[in-house]
Each structure stands twice: as C-alpha cells, then as structure tokens.
Amino acid sequence: MDLTVETGSVSSESSGMVAEVSGEATAVGNDTYASADVTAQASSTDSSSEAYVSTSMVAAGETSDGVAYASTSAYSDIYGDADYALSFDFKESSTTQTADGATASSVSVVEDYALDIKQIDSSPDQGWDSAEISPSGAADSVSQPELDLDCGCGDIDLDLDGNIALANIDAVAFGDDSLVEVDASVFVIEDEFSSVTVTSLIGVD
C-alpha cells in the first residue's frame, strides 16, 4: 500500500485556476470489473478561487483457470496561484492464486484541493473570528480541523459476475470565464476483459 499526503501553497504566473484529472483501470479474467469515479469542481469570485478534484479507479479480475490481472492508475493536479493546497495519493494492489483459481484487485485514489484568497472583506458585519491575545502579547494558535485519512480506499468487496466497465464523472466550473472538458472510454470483452479510461480538464478565471 502506498499513501502520500502533502500540504502547502502553489505559486504560478497564471491569474486563473486550472485542474486536471485522469485515470485508467484494466482487469483481465473470466469475470472482470473496472470503474472510474471522477469529481472535478472549480469556482471563481471576486474574493477567491477554489478547485477540488478527485479520481478513484478500481479494477478486479477473477478466473477459475489461468491468471487474473488488475491494474489502476490515477492522476490529478491543480495549476494556478493558491494560498492553501492539499494533496492525497493512495494505491493498493493484490493478487491471490489458489487451486480453485486466481483473483486480482487494484485501487488508485488521488485528491487535490486548492484555495486562492484574492481579497478579504473585514467589515464588522462579516463576523470574522479574531485570534485571542494571550497575556504575553502573542496570539493563541487557532485549532485546525483533523484530517481523517481512514478513507476505506483499499476496501474492495465485489461479487464478480460477468464483465463490467463503469464511468461516473461529475465536472463543473463556475466563473466569468470557465472551461470543462471530459473524455471517457469504456470497453469490455465477454469472459475476458474490462477497461475504463477517463480524463477531465476544468478551468476558471
């Protein structure tokens, strides 16, 4: 199992924000399953720009004779200035061979989030919470929400029957200037193969 989490900020000469996602899932066997679940959202207002993208790819294969195979890959990234950024990357694969046959499974999950604050309206009626000042004159640290990494990403519980390929894509962009592009391909061969490939590009300015 591979798990990576990164936080920070992003700097770019671009005035807008662009997000890109892609993924691939392939399964080989008598019974196969391949799926893609993609979310891409971006918005831009006078005060901020925000983008969130996630890609979850799942593949599983099962055979009573021969070799089962499953492979996935997932990619996402956000381009543009961002004051806050978060990245999550997970991948897990397994193969089991017994006298009754073989099974294989693979999961790849990636998520990216970015927020760029252009201006803050600090008027009194906005209800902004100010940091409390301790007697020493230093501002008390503000508690941050905990990040729950127990996503269940590696949990695959499938009753394979047949050859299935699925793609679920939700892509949307809000702003004065916006762009959404989506491309998906699903392919199956009876008793042999399932495959899904997806790409999406969104942008706001």
Side-chain angles (χ1 to χ4, degrees):
M1 180 181 74
D2 297 323
L3 173 65
T4 304
V5 178
E6 297 179 355
T7 62
S9 60
V10 180
S11 179
S12 169
E13 296 181 358
S14 172
S15 61
M17 190 172 287
V18 176
E20 179 183 7
V21 296
S22 62
E24 177 272 335
T26 300
V28 177
N30 298 136
D31 298 306
T32 56
Y33 175 90
S35 71
D37 194 348
V38 174
T39 300
Q41 302 171 344
S43 63
S44 179
T45 65
D46 293 337
S47 60
S48 66
S49 292
E50 186 177 23
Y52 169 77
V53 289
S54 71
T55 306
S56 176
M57 309 298 297
V58 177
E62 186 177 75
T63 183
S64 57
D65 57 353
V67 177
Y69 173 81
S71 173
T72 59
S73 65
Y75 169 81
S76 69
D77 206 350
I78 299 175
Y79 308 95
D81 282 333
D83 296 299
Y84 303 96
L86 173 66
S87 178
F88 172 88
D89 190 343
F90 173 90
K91 182 166 185 176
E92 185 174 56
S93 298
S94 67
T95 302
T96 303
Q97 185 81 42
T98 68
D100 296 328
T103 61
S105 64
S106 179
V107 178
S108 294
V109 179
V110 293
E111 293 185 65
D112 280 277
Y113 173 80
L115 172 65
D116 182 38
I117 301 175
K118 302 175 184 178
Q119 62 183 21
I120 297 177
D121 185 355
S122 58
S123 58
D125 60 347
Q126 296 301 311
W128 295 99
D129 294 331
S130 59
E132 295 182 0
I133 305 299
S134 64
S136 63
D140 292 339
S141 60
V142 179
S143 61
Q144 299 294 325
E146 294 184 0
L147 180 63
D148 183 7
L149 298 180
D150 186 15
C151 65
C153 304
D155 299 336
I156 302 179
D157 185 13
L158 296 173
D159 184 12
L160 296 181
D161 184 14
N163 306 95
I164 301 171
L166 304 172
N168 179 33
I169 304 172
D170 180 13
V172 60
F174 299 96
D176 292 337
D177 298 300
S178 59
L179 168 70
V180 173
E181 291 183 1
V182 174
D183 185 24
S185 173
V186 295
F187 182 69
V188 298
I189 300 177
E190 187 176 3
D191 296 330
E192 292 185 19
F193 182 81
S194 293
S195 175
V196 177
T197 302
V198 295
T199 61
S200 180
L201 179 70
I202 62 173
V204 291
D205 197 359

